[in-house]
Amino acid sequence: MSATSHTPPRALILAAPAGTYVMIRLVPAHGWGPAALIGALLLALLLWGPAVLRAGAKSLAVRNATKAAKAAKKESAK
């Protein structure tokens, strides 16, 4: 893979400017350390937040389906 054919993920294209903007905006008030930490946290939230929410929703759906299946099996055994 060459650099010319590489396209970064869409989430990175959106998240990187947001994280950078927040970091630069907070520097005068808090200094580089806290601003970089908040910018990195925002970047991570924008990059992986939707995937974490989807995984959590899927896990919850599987858990509820399992509970319903166990309840139905218990009911049919009576």
Side-chain angles (χ1 to χ4, degrees), residues 13-60:
I13 293 169
L14 296 172
T20 304
Y21 172 77
V22 167
M23 185 179 73
I24 291 172
R25 188 84 169 119
L26 292 176
V27 166
H30 302 291
W32 281 107
L37 201 60
I38 293 171
L41 181 65
L42 179 66
L43 179 71
L45 181 67
L46 289 173
L47 280 177
W48 294 294
V52 168
L53 290 176
R54 278 192 300 271
K58 186 176 181 180
S59 175
L60 186 62

Side-chain angles (χ1 to χ4, degrees), residues 55-71:
K58 186 176 181 180
S59 175
L60 186 62
V62 168
R63 182 172 182 249
N64 288 340
T66 303
K67 278 186 174 182
K70 283 184 181 179

